[in-house]
């Protein structure tokens, strides 16, 4: 076992080794991306990988897309520091897939082509709902990108000993540049293969560390929990309430967080877009089942790794590390296997960040080029080649914005930032998707009120919450304009979005085309005509 002093240095392990292992991953995946790019001839190839992936492959890619830096770095750190309450993130992220499976996956695959805007525009007025869908997709993707970039900054500060913000900012820019290159060259097919490789690496790496931690405690989980209590000196880490039970406000905050996590997954644009990469609705269902198994296994690992970090590292050393709570998993890897295991886990974490930001970026680019440029600006006259060209330009713009935002969000807990993205997605997207698929009377006004109302209320409440100001952990700690007491706005913004969708519809005298409503219902439930809608 390595000494405690070894990990107290600015950079545990060997920075050159860490960079070398990560460089090897980048080199291998870049070769795969270039090979995949040879088949990117049409818009369908670029956006949906030619619908050529099986359910198992797509399920693995969904797991790779979904198990972000928040899942690996943020949740392990949250469990190590706050115990049981940190594990509630894992439970929320996993249970959310039941909603995606039952309400969204198959129906969305049957009615759409490339984006969420396709589904909404099927029976509603194209121009306004596509613009609203694109704005929502871009905002949610931006929030999620912030979390991944913040994870990159914290990880690098730990692994390379770069504690100055300027140095961390340079590394965030490098991660953003690699992301842009992956998506520009490989499109959805290249991005999907990167996600599959990353999912295998992440689950294997986490599994190895889990077995190692359990072996040190005689494969007795109770002994591990006892060791965590002994190291932290706090039995409360085994009980609910360490983070969310201090007051009525924190309990309400937890309820808001849970609502956002459970409902947000079925509305995340980059997860929804993955359902279009499979050839049939049956494969879409199979994708979700595969994803649930892989993601569920991983989240069981996070429970062991979080308490393992609490037992072997301790909250004080984790909090003192340059990346804060986000450093728990890398510090645990160093404690277990020294510089080599740390280098491998670091490469896995970097791969996690790269794969997720690539998926987010292509989703946001597809939404702008397909929903705004092709369907609104050119009114359907753009060729697939022009559409893909605009998507690639959008990728560069989004990448640059993500780099700037990531530098600003550096140091924030990534699991927490992702929870905000889930809240925005659940508020802006889910009510409209559910109403469109299941309520025949739903109108364009209802969709616009729901999307803009949910999106606007979520962002305003986040801006006026302790996340942005009024606390030492806020993004702007020196200011204090936090009039909304909850850190997560979901408990207010999600019901409000559902209410606005209903109110907008019942006050709208204009009715949508009943023939389109019937066609959408038949297609969503049976898949009849879905392939024709997908041909591009």
């Amino acid at each position: 076992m390595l000494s405690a002093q070894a990990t107290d240095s600015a950079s545990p392990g060997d920075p050159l080794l860490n960079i070398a292992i990560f460089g090897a991953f980048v080199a291998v995946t870049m070769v795969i991306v270039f090979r995949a790019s040879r088949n990117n001839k049409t818009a369908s190839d670029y956006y949906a990988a030619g619908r050529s992936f099986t359910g198992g492959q797509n399920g693995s890619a969904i797991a790779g897309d979904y198990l972000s830096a928040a899942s690996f770095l943020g949740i392990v750190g949250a469990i190590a520091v706050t115990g049981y309450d940190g594990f509630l993130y894992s439970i929320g992220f996993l249970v959310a897939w039941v909603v995606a499976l039952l309400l969204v996956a198959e129906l969305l695959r049957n009615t759409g082509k490339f984006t969420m805007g396709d589904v909404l525009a099927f029976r509603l007025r194209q121009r306004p709902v596509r613009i609203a869908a694109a704005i929502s997709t871009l905002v949610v993707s931006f929030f999620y990108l912030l979390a991944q970039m913040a994870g990159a900054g914290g990880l690098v500060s730990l692994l390379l000993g770069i504690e100055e913000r300027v140095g961390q900012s340079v590394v965030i820019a490098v991660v953003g540049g690699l992301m842009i290159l992956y998506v520009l060259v490989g499109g959805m097919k290249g991005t999907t293969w990167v996600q599959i490789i990353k999912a295998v690496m992440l689950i294997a790496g986490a599994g190895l560390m889990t077995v190692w931690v359990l072996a040190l405690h005689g494969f007795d989980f109770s002994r591990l929990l006892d060791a965590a209590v002994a190291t932290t000196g706090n039995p409360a880490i085994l009980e609910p309430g360490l983070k969310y039970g201090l007051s009525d406000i924190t309990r309400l905050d937890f309820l808001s967080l849970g609502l956002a996590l459970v409902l947000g997954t079925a509305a995340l644009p980059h997860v929804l877009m993955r359902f279009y990469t499979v050839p049939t609705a049956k494969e879409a269902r199979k994708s979700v089942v595969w994803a649930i198994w892989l993601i569920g296994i991983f989240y069981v690992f996070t429970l062991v790794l979080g308490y393992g970090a609490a037992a072997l590292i301790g909250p004080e050393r984790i909090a003192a590390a340059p990346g804060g709570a986000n450093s728990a998993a890398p510090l645990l890897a160093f404690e277990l296997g020294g510089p080599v295991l740390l280098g491998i886990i670091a490469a896995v974490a970097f791969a996690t960040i790269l794969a997720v930001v690539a998926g987010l970026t292509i989703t946001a680019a597809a939404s702008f080029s397909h929903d705004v440029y092709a369907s609104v600006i050119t009114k359907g006259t753009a060729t697939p080649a022009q559409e893909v060209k605009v998507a690639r330009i959008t990728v560069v713009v989004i990448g640059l914005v993500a780099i700037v935002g990531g530098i600003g969000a550096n140091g924030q807990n990534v699991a927490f930032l992702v929870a905000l993205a889930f809240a925005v997605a659940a508020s802006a997207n889910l009510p409209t998707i559910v109403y469109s698929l299941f309520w025949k009377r739903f109108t364009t006004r209802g969709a616009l009120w729901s999307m803009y109302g949910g999106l606007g209320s979520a962002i305003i409440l986040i801006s006026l919450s302790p996340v942005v100001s009024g606390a030492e952990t806020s993004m702007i700690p020196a200011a204090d304009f936090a009039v909304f007491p909850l850190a997560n706005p979901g408990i207010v913004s999600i019901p409000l979005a559902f209410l606005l969708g209903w109110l907008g519809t019942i006050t709208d005298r204009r009715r949508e085309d009943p023939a389109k409503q019937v066609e959408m219902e038949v297609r969503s439930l049976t898949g009849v005509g879905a392939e024709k809608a997908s041909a591009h």
Side-chain angles (χ1 to χ4, degrees), residues 37-78:
S37 69
R38 295 175 184 174
N39 299 321
N40 280 343
K41 297 182 176 67
T42 67
S44 178
D45 290 331
Y46 191 76
Y47 295 144
R51 307 185 205 285
S52 59
F53 286 99
T54 66
Q57 289 172 330
N58 194 47
S60 301
I62 289 173
D65 210 353
Y66 191 70
L67 296 175
S68 63
S71 299
F72 188 45
L73 302 178
I75 292 177
V76 173

Side-chain angles (χ1 to χ4, degrees), residues 188-271:
M188 180 58 90
K189 190 169 287 185
T191 299
T192 299
W193 281 114
V194 171
Q195 288 164 344
I196 291 172
I197 294 167
K198 167 249 158 152
V200 172
M201 286 177 60
L202 179 61
I203 293 171
L208 172 65
M209 288 175 62
T210 298
V211 172
W212 201 325
V213 168
L214 289 174
L216 291 175
H217 297 87
F219 291 98
D220 185 342
F221 188 59
S222 295
R223 274 182 59 188
L224 171 61
L225 296 180
D226 290 340
V229 171
T231 303
T232 60
N234 185 8
I237 65 168
L238 305 184
E239 302 168 3
L242 189 59
K243 182 176 181 181
Y244 292 113
L246 301 177
S247 65
D248 290 339
I249 289 294
T250 54
R251 291 191 186 99
L252 201 59
D253 214 356
F254 165 65
L255 186 60
S256 187
L257 169 70
L259 197 63
L261 295 183
V262 171
L263 298 181
T265 297
L268 287 172
H270 65 294
V271 172

Side-chain angles (χ1 to χ4, degrees), residues 17-19 21-22 72-73 155 158-159 201 329-330 333 339-353:
L17 179 64
N18 297 339
I19 294 172
I21 296 174
F22 176 58
F72 188 45
L73 302 178
L155 189 66
L158 175 75
L159 299 176
M201 286 177 60
V340 175
L341 184 59
L342 174 64
I344 293 170
I345 296 304
V348 168
F350 267 123
T352 294
I353 292 165

Side-chain angles (χ1 to χ4, degrees), residues 172-194:
I172 290 174
V174 170
V175 171
L178 284 171
M179 164 194 78
I180 292 169
L181 190 60
Y182 275 130
V183 181
L184 279 182
V185 174
M188 180 58 90
K189 190 169 287 185
T191 299
T192 299
W193 281 114
V194 171

Side-chain angles (χ1 to χ4, degrees), residues 250-293:
T250 54
R251 291 191 186 99
L252 201 59
D253 214 356
F254 165 65
L255 186 60
S256 187
L257 169 70
L259 197 63
L261 295 183
V262 171
L263 298 181
T265 297
L268 287 172
H270 65 294
V271 172
L272 297 178
M273 194 169 174
R274 291 238 55 93
F275 297 132
Y276 300 126
T277 65
V278 291
T280 64
K282 180 182 178 182
E283 294 296 319
R285 286 197 306 274
K286 192 187 292 184
S287 297
V288 180
V289 174
W290 266 86
I292 288 173
W293 274 105

